[in-house]
Amino acid sequence: MTGTTDPSRTAAPVPSGPMTGRMLSRLLGWFDSKIGLPFDRLRFRISLRHLSGPRKIDLPREAVTVVALVRDGAYYLDVFLAHYRALGVSHFVFCDTGSTDGTLAQLAQESDVTVLQCRLPWGRFENIFRGYAARRFSADRWCLFADMDEILDFEGQAQLGLSGLLRYLNRHGYSAMMAQMLEMFPQAPLRSVAQQSYPEVQRSFCHYDISAVRALDYHDPATCLGFFLSQNQIPDAPPPKMQFGGIRGAVFGERCCLSKHPLVFIGTDIDPAVHPHVSAGVRVADTMAVLKHYKFANDPMARDQASLAADAIPHGEDALRVAGFAKRPDLTLWSQTAQKYDGPETGPAALRKAGFLQVSARYLAEIAD
């Protein structure tokens, strides 16, 4: 649910010059991988608990498992589970970081759900947690990383379904599919819809605004993700873009990363979830999905204030939003540049035509057959 760059290594501006940025990113990545990560992984394994659901799952190779980080996610669960089950997901692994609402009780009743818990500070351990869950429950299969406030759509969804999409990815030797996060919002002021249920949000948060999105080349050092992205292969037609900012940048001044690798094949040569948005060692597909992001559902003003008080993550984006809401209590994200998202049948295609999603002619030709 972050929609951010990694707070410990990627939120700061890149020092002058592309070479300096690339060297700094790789140096920090090397130090973390050789010294910081082994110690943190030991702490994680000591603290890890299995709370409910199967400890092992026996699924065919074509099955897809969702791995989701969660804390007090009861608000989202019904919509989240229904959407991904309808998409074709076979099993869910929830990585709980200390829920105190009804999340754990509800998930314990679901036969296709496993719940693991680690109560260490999630801002530091989320990557280790997701990566562990993916390796343990999705080895040699596809894994879909999804946050609780994210809904995946892709062009050709009605024709292919998730199984058809995976056949395309497998046929062409890809091991990851990118997605761009699309911030969804209502036409009304955010304060007036703060108490809407998540099903209500799915109906009323039907607008987006991509006019302020900043796109960078995939391997541009200015992404501050060079250590990870340099390990990946990307297609030539069209080359994928890493995108930042958007409506949150325009309204709150956030430098939030909008690009993710949510769908990853967990092979032995792949390092999954090395960053909240990125896996390493992957061959990136020539088509993208959209992740509808409901960041502004579930009383965002109160949630950001609680996050700021807890000091869970140091990137400062929650502080920017708290300041923005304090200055403008009736803040709305609506403007004349907002557009309506018309659902998976036409929404991803419209975003492709607008340049927000990069999708190859080959993929479009194959889904048209």
Side-chain angles (χ1 to χ4, degrees):
M1 295 166 62
T2 59
T4 67
T5 49
D6 185 3
S8 64
R9 291 184 293 279
T10 61
V14 179
S16 60
M19 184 61 70
T20 304
R22 187 181 300 114
M23 291 176 61
L24 178 60
S25 177
R26 292 183 178 181
L27 178 62
L28 289 173
W30 179 89
F31 182 85
D32 189 50
S33 65
K34 299 300 182 182
I35 299 174
L37 276 177
F39 179 68
D40 282 351
R41 283 173 177 157
L42 176 61
R43 290 182 62 196
F44 166 77
R45 290 302 298 270
I46 292 171
S47 68
L48 183 66
R49 299 290 183 270
H50 174 273
L51 296 187
S52 63
R55 293 178 178 270
K56 295 182 179 180
I57 54 175
D58 184 16
L59 296 172
R61 195 168 187 265
E62 61 271 18
V64 178
T65 301
V66 159
V67 168
L69 198 75
V70 63
R71 182 170 187 169
D72 293 338
Y75 173 87
Y76 304 94
L77 279 179
D78 288 341
V79 169
F80 184 90
L81 291 170
H83 175 79
Y84 287 105
R85 282 169 176 157
L87 202 59
V89 166
S90 298
H91 196 79
F92 298 82
V93 180
F94 285 92
C95 304
D96 185 76
T97 62
S99 292
T100 58
D101 64 352
T103 298
L104 300 179
Q106 181 174 345
L107 291 178
Q109 304 303 311
E110 307 290 341
S111 61
D112 58 351
V113 168
T114 294
V115 181
L116 307 176
Q117 187 179 73
C118 171
R119 299 177 69 92
L120 294 171
W122 70 266
R124 182 175 181 87
F125 289 88
E126 61 173 320
N127 303 333
I128 295 173
F129 205 166
R130 288 191 187 96
Y132 170 84
R135 292 187 189 94
R136 178 173 168 184
F137 291 93
S138 292
D140 202 34
R141 291 198 311 273
W142 285 90
C143 178
L144 178 55
F145 296 101
D147 287 337
M148 300 302 297
D149 57 0
E150 295 174 349
I151 297 294
L152 184 87
D153 281 346
F154 58 91
E155 196 162 357
Q157 185 170 317
Q159 305 97 298
L160 298 178
L162 189 57
S163 60
L165 175 63
L166 296 186
R167 284 195 296 271
Y168 175 86
L169 300 178
N170 290 330
R171 183 162 61 247
H172 296 290
Y174 297 122
S175 55
M177 182 181 183
M178 283 184 66
Q180 304 289 1
M181 297 174 67
L182 189 70
E183 302 293 347
M184 307 300 297
F185 55 83
Q187 192 166 355
L190 293 176
R191 184 171 66 171
S192 70
V193 296
Q195 303 305 318
Q196 280 191 345
S197 69
Y198 204 33
E200 290 173 326
V201 162
Q202 296 296 306
R203 295 187 291 270
S204 64
F205 284 48
C206 56
H207 294 90
Y208 65 90
D209 188 342
I210 57 175
S211 60
V213 170
R214 180 190 179 207
L216 299 175
D217 290 340
Y218 189 86
H219 291 304
D220 190 325
T223 66
C224 302
L225 294 166
F227 176 78
F228 306 121
L229 299 182
S230 65
Q231 302 173 51
N232 298 337
Q233 301 177 53
I234 59 173
D236 295 327
K241 299 292 185 181
M242 296 295 292
Q243 301 186 154
F244 295 84
I247 190 68
R248 286 164 59 191
V251 174
F252 300 103
E254 300 179 53
R255 188 191 179 273
C256 47
C257 181
L258 306 178
S259 304
K260 282 193 168 186
H261 297 147
L263 193 57
V264 180
F265 185 82
I266 311 300
T268 56
D269 55 344
I270 289 171
D271 200 357
V274 291
H275 177 277
H277 289 229
V278 174
S279 291
V282 299
R283 184 165 183 250
V284 178
D286 61 355
T287 186
M288 288 184 180
V290 58
L291 277 169
K292 293 183 292 181
H293 190 210
Y294 295 91
K295 181 75 173 179
F296 297 99
N298 192 20
D299 198 351
M301 295 77 83
R303 198 174 65 247
D304 283 334
Q305 288 170 345
S307 174
L308 191 61
D311 196 24
I313 46 179
H315 56 54
E317 292 174 3
D318 45 8
L320 290 172
R321 290 190 297 271
V322 167
F325 285 123
K327 187 180 298 184
R328 297 165 56 192
D330 288 323
L331 186 148
T332 177
L333 302 182
W334 170 263
S335 73
Q336 293 303 311
T337 54
Q339 301 176 68
K340 187 174 182 180
Y341 187 87
D342 290 325
E345 296 80 9
T346 59
L351 292 167
R352 167 178 55 83
K353 293 172 184 176
F356 185 73
L357 302 180
Q358 291 84 57
V359 179
S360 72
R362 178 177 67 182
Y363 176 79
L364 295 174
E366 292 198 22
I367 65 173
D369 290 342

